[in-house]
Amino acid sequence: MRHMPQIAHVDVNCFYASAERAFNPSLEGRPVIVLSNNDGCAVTRSPEAKALGIPMGEPWFKLAPRAKQWGLVALSSNYELYGDISARVMELLGRYSAWLEVYSIDEAFLGVKGAPGELLALGRDMKTAVRRNVGVPVCVGIAGTKTLAKLANKWAKNNPAFDGVCHWDSVPAADREALMRRLSVIEIWGVATRLTKRLNALGIHSIHDLSRADPVMIRDRFSVVMMRTVLELQGTPCIPMEEERIGRDQLIFSRSFATPITTAAGMRQVMSVYGQQASARLAKHGLQAKVLTAFAGTSHFNPKDTAYPSVCVPLPMPTADPVLLTKAAHALLPRICEGIRYARAGIMVTDLRPTGNQAPLALFENPHEERHVGTLLEDVTRRYGRGSIGLGHAGIRGGPDWTMKRDMLSPRYTTHWDELPLVKAA
Amino acid sequence: MGVVVGPRVIDAGVSLLSVLISPVPVAAGYPSPAQDYFDGRIDLNEHLIKDITSTYVVRVSGESMEGAGISDGDELIVNRALEPKDGSVVIAVLDGELTIKRLRVTGTGVVLQAENPAYPDILVPSVADLVIWGVATRCLHHV
C-alpha cells in the first residue's frame, strides 16, 4: 500500500531552559527562566515558572525582588550553548528523514512516509534519540500539512496521554473536531492578534470555524497567506519552503539547490553568498549577531548517502560584517564530504542585538563594515579563481563583550574549553 | 624561485580544504616524492568522537577516580548515547550534580564505585533510581 507523504514537526520543549538543564541537573523541577538580551525580560519559562504565574516577556526587574522567595532561577541567554544544542538536534533529526527544513533554532519540519503505526514509531524514536543523545526533550506532531503538524505538536505537548508524539490522522475524527472547536484561531500557526480580531468580526472564532471557511473569500478579505492556512487546515499542503525568516532573536537563510553541490569548494561559494546575505539583512534591520549556525543536507529523492552536517560558531564579537559572517559560515566546510550530493544548505544567525548598543570605541569598530570588503572578495574570487585572494586576521579576535549585559550567564559548556561542565570525583 | 606554495592556511575553519589541495610545497619541474602519500592529517574528531550529536567534553574535579587513571583537572570524552554496562565509567546525576563513578551492576544491586580507597562507594537501591548522564569513553590525562 502506498502512503501519502506526511510532515513531522519537531520542537524542543522550553528550549533555552531545557538546554540549561541538560548540563545543570540541579535545575530539574525548579522554576527556571531565561532572560532576553541584556537581561531584559523572561523569554523562556520552565513549566514550574509558568505555574508561578510569570507571564512571557515579564521584565526581570519586576521579578527579581521575589526570585529568592520563589526559588526562581534566572539565567542570561547563553546563545553559544543554545546554538550548539540546536545544531546537534538538527543533525540528529536529519538522520530520520532526507527531507529536513530547519524552521527555527528549536524546531524543524521533516518529510516522512509510512503507515500510521510506522509514523508513530518514527516519532517516538526521534523523541527518544534527541533526549538520549543531546539531552533535551522534544515533542513531535505528524500530519498531512505543516499547519496541522504544528497543531498536532501543540496537542502532543499539552495532552500527557500522547506522551509527546501525536499523529493527527490516527486520532479519532470526533476528537480532532472537538479540539479544533475548543481552540481559538489565535492558536493556529501564522495568525496573530490583529488578524484574530478581523476573523472574529466575520464570525470565525475557533480553528474549526477557520477550517470551514471558504478559501477564496479568505483570500479576498485577507491574503493568500491566510488562504493557504485554511487549505492546510483542510488537509491540502500548500505552505512552501521559506527561504528567509526573521524571528524574535534569529534570522535564517536556507535554500534548495537546482543542481546538487558535491564539493567543499561549491559549498564554500554557497556559504559566502549566505554570509553576505545575512550581513545585508542584519544591517537592514539594524542588528548584529553573536552566534552563527551553518548546515547542509542531502535530498529526499536520494535516500542513500544522507548527510546533515551542521556547525555552531560563536562570533568573536557582535557583528553584521560580511567577512566575519562568511568566515564563520566556512566552518562547515571541513564537515562536507566530497562526492555526497548536498541538495540544500543554510545559515542561521542568533543572539541578535541592535547595532546602536555598541559603544563608539573606534578601537573595536570593525574595519570591514563600511567598505564592502565581502563583496570585493567575492568579485575578485569569481574573476581570478579561488585562492587568488584571502583573508588575514579579519576583525578583532576575542574582543571584550562589553555591549551585552549577561550577569547570570551559565558556562558555555560546549563551545569554550575553559567553561566545560565539571563532573565531581568525590 | 621554482617553488609553488599552495593556498595559505587562513584559519581553522578553512584549513582542511587548503591542506587537501596542496599539502606540501611543490617543486616545479620535479614532483615531490611525498605528494602521492599524503592522505590527510590525523583528525582527533574522527578517532575520538563516534557520534557528534551525543559526544560532550567534561572536566574532572576531585581525586576519587585516581585508580582508573582519571585525575583532578583531566578532561573526559563522554558519549551520552552509549548503554551503561557493568564496569562502565559513568557520569551519574547525584543530588543534582554530575558525578563520575564506575558502575557495578551485580545480582544483589547497583553500586557506584570510587576508584580511590579514600572515597566511599555509593549503593543504589535499583537501576530505576539511577540517572546516568553519559558514559566516559576516553580520558585526556594531563602529563
Side-chain angles (χ1 to χ4, degrees):
Chain A
M1 185 186 163
R2 283 180 62 84
H3 295 284
M4 291 297 287
Q6 297 245 310
I7 293 165
H9 175 257
V10 185
D11 71 348
V12 182
N13 309 344
C14 305
F15 178 54
Y16 295 174
S18 296
E20 300 281 354
R21 280 179 170 165
F23 295 90
N24 185 353
S26 75
L27 298 177
E28 212 64 58
R30 298 179 62 182
V32 177
I33 56 170
V34 176
L35 302 171
S36 60
N37 285 347
N38 290 313
D39 295 343
C41 49
V43 289
T44 302
R45 300 161 298 155
S46 72
E48 298 83 357
K50 287 177 193 169
L52 285 173
I54 296 172
M56 187 71 171
E58 184 79 343
W60 169 234
F61 73 84
K62 283 193 183 173
L63 295 169
R66 279 173 295 172
K68 200 161 198 177
Q69 169 203 337
W70 280 337
L72 176 67
V73 180
L75 295 163
S76 304
S77 282
N78 187 341
Y79 286 102
E80 290 87 345
L81 176 66
Y82 312 150
D84 179 53
I85 296 299
S86 171
R88 288 169 187 255
V89 171
M90 298 308 169
E91 178 153 352
L92 186 54
L93 291 178
R95 296 177 190 169
Y96 286 86
S97 165
W99 184 101
L100 174 88
E101 178 187 344
V102 178
Y103 185 71
S104 71
I105 194 167
D106 63 344
E107 59 184 322
F109 291 105
L110 294 87
V112 289
K113 242 179 170 178
E118 292 168 336
L119 291 177
L120 267 173
L122 181 80
R124 292 199 185 105
D125 275 1
M126 290 193 287
K127 176 175 173 263
T128 308
V130 175
R131 177 86 218 199
R132 184 193 58 217
N133 284 30
V134 188
V136 292
V138 299
C139 283
V140 184
I142 303 173
T145 68
K146 284 184 173 179
T147 304
L148 288 174
K150 279 266 239 189
L151 188 58
N153 190 323
K154 182 175 280 205
W155 207 1
K157 260 191 191 34
N158 295 327
N159 186 341
F162 285 112
D163 194 23
V165 181
C166 171
H167 177 230
W168 187 251
D169 297 342
S170 298
V171 178
D175 292 356
R176 280 183 267 158
E177 189 178 320
L179 175 82
M180 288 168 81
R181 283 185 190 280
R182 203 166 64 232
L183 292 179
S184 153
V185 284
I186 202 168
E187 302 280 342
I188 206 73
W189 184 34
V191 178
T193 320
R194 193 173 48 83
L195 287 171
T196 303
K197 283 188 184 147
R198 287 175 58 202
L199 286 166
N200 290 352
L202 291 172
I204 297 171
H205 297 277
S206 70
I207 293 177
H208 183 256
D209 296 338
L210 187 61
S211 74
R212 303 294 286 270
D214 173 22
V216 176
M217 180 276 284
I218 291 289
R219 184 196 60 199
D220 293 345
R221 291 193 181 237
F222 295 90
S223 63
V224 174
V225 176
M226 185 66 91
M227 181 186 74
R228 284 180 183 153
T229 300
V230 173
L231 290 170
E232 289 235 327
L233 284 173
Q234 295 170 354
T236 308
C238 52
I239 294 185
M241 210 70 157
E242 290 186 46
E243 295 188 349
E244 177 211 322
R245 288 179 299 279
I246 184 151
R248 188 181 70 229
D249 49 24
Q250 68 204 3
L251 178 61
I252 298 186
F253 292 85
S254 84
R255 158 168 260 161
S256 303
F257 309 130
T259 321
I261 285 186
T262 58
T263 62
M267 193 60 78
R268 184 188 176 83
Q269 277 184 350
V270 171
M271 286 295 137
S272 302
V273 171
Y274 285 168
Q276 283 167 51
Q277 280 180 352
S279 158
R281 203 46 56 104
L282 283 170
K284 187 180 141 196
H285 292 287
L287 293 169
Q288 294 178 319
K290 188 74 203 305
V291 177
L292 181 146
T293 304
F295 52 90
T298 46
S299 158
H300 63 293
F301 297 117
N302 174 25
K304 275 187 247 162
D305 288 337
T306 57
Y308 280 85
S310 62
V311 63
C312 167
V313 189
L315 298 162
M317 60 187 184
T319 184
D321 182 292
V323 176
L324 293 183
L325 293 177
T326 302
K327 270 173 68 91
H330 285 178
L332 184 70
L333 301 179
R335 310 276 305 275
I336 295 296
C337 297
E338 299 279 333
I340 295 267
R341 295 163 65 82
Y342 294 96
R344 53 181 302 100
I347 66 171
M348 168 165 66
V349 283
T350 45
D351 197 354
L352 307 183
R353 59 193 72 185
T355 308
N357 278 2
Q358 189 136 347
L361 275 175
L363 179 63
F364 294 110
E365 265 175 17
N366 195 299
H368 308 116
E369 302 276 6
E370 300 292 325
R371 294 198 220 146
H372 310 292
V373 172
T375 332
L376 176 72
L377 284 172
E378 280 306 300
D379 287 348
V380 172
T381 304
R382 202 173 303 127
R383 193 168 212 172
Y384 295 104
R386 190 163 46 76
S388 57
I389 190 165
L391 300 170
H393 288 269
I396 297 159
R397 280 154 196 277
D401 195 358
W402 33 258
T403 57
M404 181 80 151
K405 187 179 159 201
R406 294 206 285 187
D407 287 345
M408 291 161 282
L409 187 66
S410 53
R412 292 166 295 182
Y413 300 106
T414 64
T415 56
H416 287 63
W417 189 252
D418 296 338
E419 301 178 25
L420 294 176
L422 286 182
V423 299
K424 229 169 89 179
Chain B
M1 298 290 286
V3 173
V4 180
V5 180
R8 292 280 184 185
V9 173
I10 296 167
D11 69 6
V14 293
S15 62
L16 183 63
L17 183 65
S18 310
V19 164
L20 290 176
I21 289 163
S22 186
V24 289
V26 181
Y30 183 76
S32 159
Q35 180 87 49
D36 292 343
Y37 293 89
F38 188 81
D39 202 19
R41 292 195 183 112
I42 286 174
D43 180 357
L44 290 180
N45 292 310
E46 183 190 325
H47 298 284
L48 300 185
I49 298 179
K50 287 275 174 280
D51 184 345
I52 195 91
T53 68
S54 61
T55 305
Y56 293 92
V57 183
V58 302
R59 185 165 290 125
V60 176
S61 165
E63 276 97 34
S64 75
M65 293 300 283
E66 291 278 6
I70 299 170
S71 305
D72 185 52
D74 285 353
E75 288 87 18
L76 297 173
I77 296 175
V78 177
N79 187 345
R80 297 197 58 156
L82 286 182
E83 196 66 44
K85 291 191 291 241
D86 178 48
S88 299
V89 173
V90 298
I91 313 299
V93 177
L94 292 178
D95 300 326
E97 287 185 309
L98 300 176
T99 305
I100 180 168
K101 296 280 176 187
R102 192 179 293 281
L103 179 69
R104 288 294 176 199
V105 185
T106 64
T108 51
V110 181
V111 181
L112 290 171
Q113 201 176 61
E115 292 273 358
N116 181 337
Y119 291 82
D121 295 346
I122 294 168
L123 289 157
V124 184
S126 78
V127 185
D129 297 309
L130 190 60
V131 178
I132 299 289
W133 191 86
V135 175
T137 58
R138 296 273 179 168
C139 173
L140 307 178
H141 178 62
H142 292 246
V143 293

